[in-house]
Amino acid sequence: MAEDTPDITALDDETVQRIAAGEVVERPASVVKELVENSIDAGADRVSIAVERGGKDGIRVRDDGVGMTAEELDLAVRDHHTSKIGDIADLEAGVGTLGFRGEALAAIGAVSRTTVRSKPRGGEMGHELTVTGGDIGDPEPAGCPAGTVVEVEDLFYNVPARRKFLKTDATEFDHVNTVATQYALANPGVAVSLEHDDREVFATDGTGNLRSTVLSVYGREVAESMVDVEWSAESDDAPVHSVQGLVSHPETTRAGREYLSTFVNDRYVTASALREAVLDAYGGQLAPDRYPFAVLFVELDPATVDVNVHPRKLEVRFDDEAGVRDAVSEAVEDALLAEGLIRTSAPRGRSQADETPVRPGVDDEE
């Protein structure tokens, strides 16, 4: 006799919310990423990040962006509400903002106690709204400066299985630090600061100078070792329009690949093709298992890159991956050659992706 199978039933709203939240909010660093993206998209000139116990006990992101009215605040914390896209055509044309899915604040509020205070620029009154485990309160008048501050407490308090699998405070903070660092580097025109347990980790000046930002984040030794990368395509139909940024002297390296920062249309991504392209450019000048510092901005047609392949949008897919890889490698190699830091490599005109074996340990990091 066949065993009875359970009936297929619809999940209740609370369960659906928590499943959706799990796709966006994996750890405290996920919260920081989503909130900082919202701040930058809101036109902030200053973004301050503060976390407690690696973000497990508290996360606060404050900005001086455009702010929200009471009505906008209420909509912002609800599922699938966003100011960043209008319809499916915006997705297909390529997204021009950092955060666009519209469920970030709702997902965060579903698994924490979240308070949002906001005041529009030029507005007379600010408002505060609290979301507790997905239960949305009413906006109430609150005294606050123009901009928005989001405070997240007791992350995963109502999802004990997820909270149990968080790592040590130090490990969770390392992930938060990585996120904050990448957004600081990606936005040198924004003053970004990070505090952990009331101690300042770094603060950038927001002057728009990338080398100054590197100095604030990585220190003087690294900043002074960086070489300018300035590369533009020779034709309009090339897979990459431009590659700009900084890469380090072959002797200024670290044991981890996390200092290879690559940005596609100003979005931080962990694309192995881009990281491999940077390593290829050094042509064997790197010591074994050592990786350079790089802060590279790759500009291309948004329609030729898909950022919608992972809930956290860290992974991307290129229409012409080999062409992108060759362009990035050429840009970095030209910069290093101009400074006499590497020897001339084999002739170009072929895809190094087809001939250079992948170095162990440089795959995308989850």
Side-chain angles (χ1 to χ4, degrees):
M1 179 184 296
E3 296 183 3
D4 291 337
T5 57
D7 294 333
I8 297 175
T9 59
L11 295 174
D12 61 86
D13 289 343
E14 182 179 5
T15 302
V16 170
Q17 275 189 326
R18 294 194 192 178
I19 291 173
E23 296 179 352
V24 177
V25 184
E26 295 184 332
R27 61 194 333 151
S30 308
V31 175
V32 172
K33 172 186 179 296
E34 299 292 345
L35 296 182
V36 171
E37 286 185 347
N38 282 347
S39 294
I40 293 171
D41 279 341
D45 294 318
R46 306 189 67 85
V47 179
S48 65
I49 307 158
V51 299
E52 298 176 15
R53 291 193 58 219
K56 290 189 285 187
D57 280 3
I59 298 167
R60 185 185 71 242
V61 175
R62 185 190 308 273
D63 69 61
D64 62 353
V66 295
M68 292 177 282
T69 65
E71 293 77 12
E72 291 169 335
L73 183 58
D74 181 71
L75 290 175
V77 298
R78 298 185 182 275
D79 287 330
H80 310 305
H81 282 73
T82 180
S83 63
K84 302 173 184 180
I85 61 172
D87 53 33
I88 191 65
D90 289 344
L91 287 180
E92 293 174 345
V95 176
T97 55
L98 295 174
F100 62 87
R101 291 174 178 275
E103 77 268 19
L105 277 176
I108 294 167
V111 291
S112 69
R113 308 180 200 276
T114 296
T115 300
V116 187
R117 287 188 297 278
S118 192
K119 178 183 175 181
R121 290 174 180 167
E124 297 181 357
M125 176 68 69
H127 288 82
E128 176 180 296
L129 182 152
T130 299
V131 184
T132 303
D135 184 13
I136 301 173
D138 294 324
E140 300 287 347
C144 58
T148 302
V149 56
V150 181
E151 296 178 347
V152 178
E153 298 179 335
D154 298 330
L155 185 63
F156 300 134
Y157 82 95
N158 56 350
V159 192
R162 176 62 62 87
R163 187 172 178 88
K164 182 177 69 173
F165 282 101
L166 291 176
K167 306 300 182 183
T168 65
D169 295 356
T171 297
E172 293 301 335
F173 177 70
D174 282 345
H175 287 281
V176 169
N177 191 16
T178 296
V179 168
T181 295
Q182 302 309 331
Y183 283 98
L185 292 171
N187 300 274
V190 178
V192 178
S193 63
L194 173 64
E195 293 182 6
H196 185 214
D197 293 338
D198 297 322
R199 298 182 63 179
E200 184 177 272
V201 179
F202 71 79
T204 66
D205 55 24
T207 61
N209 185 292
L210 182 58
R211 193 178 295 271
S212 176
T213 303
V214 170
L215 173 64
S216 298
V217 172
Y218 290 141
R220 186 167 301 279
E221 175 206 354
V222 175
E224 292 180 347
S225 79
M226 298 298 256
V227 174
D228 289 303
V229 177
E230 292 281 348
W231 181 94
S232 296
E234 296 180 355
S235 63
D236 293 337
D237 59 353
V240 172
H241 296 161
S242 67
V243 182
Q244 299 179 327
L246 299 166
V247 294
S248 68
H249 189 288
E251 294 182 359
T252 303
T253 60
R254 295 292 186 269
R257 63 189 180 274
E258 64 268 24
Y259 301 101
L260 284 167
S261 301
T262 53
F263 305 88
V264 173
N265 295 349
D266 295 325
R267 179 191 296 279
Y268 172 61
V269 299
T270 56
S272 59
L274 300 182
R275 288 175 165 177
E276 282 299 320
V278 174
L279 298 174
D280 289 345
Y282 281 81
Q285 298 299 301
L286 298 171
D289 299 321
R290 302 292 292 185
Y291 304 92
F293 288 81
V295 185
L296 289 178
F297 297 86
V298 181
E299 295 293 327
L300 42 70
D301 183 349
T304 66
V305 56
D306 182 7
V307 300
N308 199 26
V309 297
H310 188 276
R312 288 180 292 134
K313 302 185 289 293
L314 286 178
E315 301 167 15
V316 295
R317 181 183 297 119
F318 301 107
D319 286 357
D320 182 1
E321 181 172 303
V324 171
R325 177 169 173 157
D326 283 345
V328 172
S329 188
E330 178 180 327
V332 175
E333 183 179 346
D334 286 350
L336 294 172
L337 283 170
E339 296 292 325
L341 297 176
I342 61 170
R343 296 184 295 272
T344 303
S345 65
R348 296 193 183 114
R350 52 177 169 70
S351 172
Q352 290 176 313
D354 296 331
E355 301 188 17
T356 305
V358 175
R359 290 164 55 114
V362 293
D363 296 329
D364 290 351
E365 181 178 0
E366 288 295 327

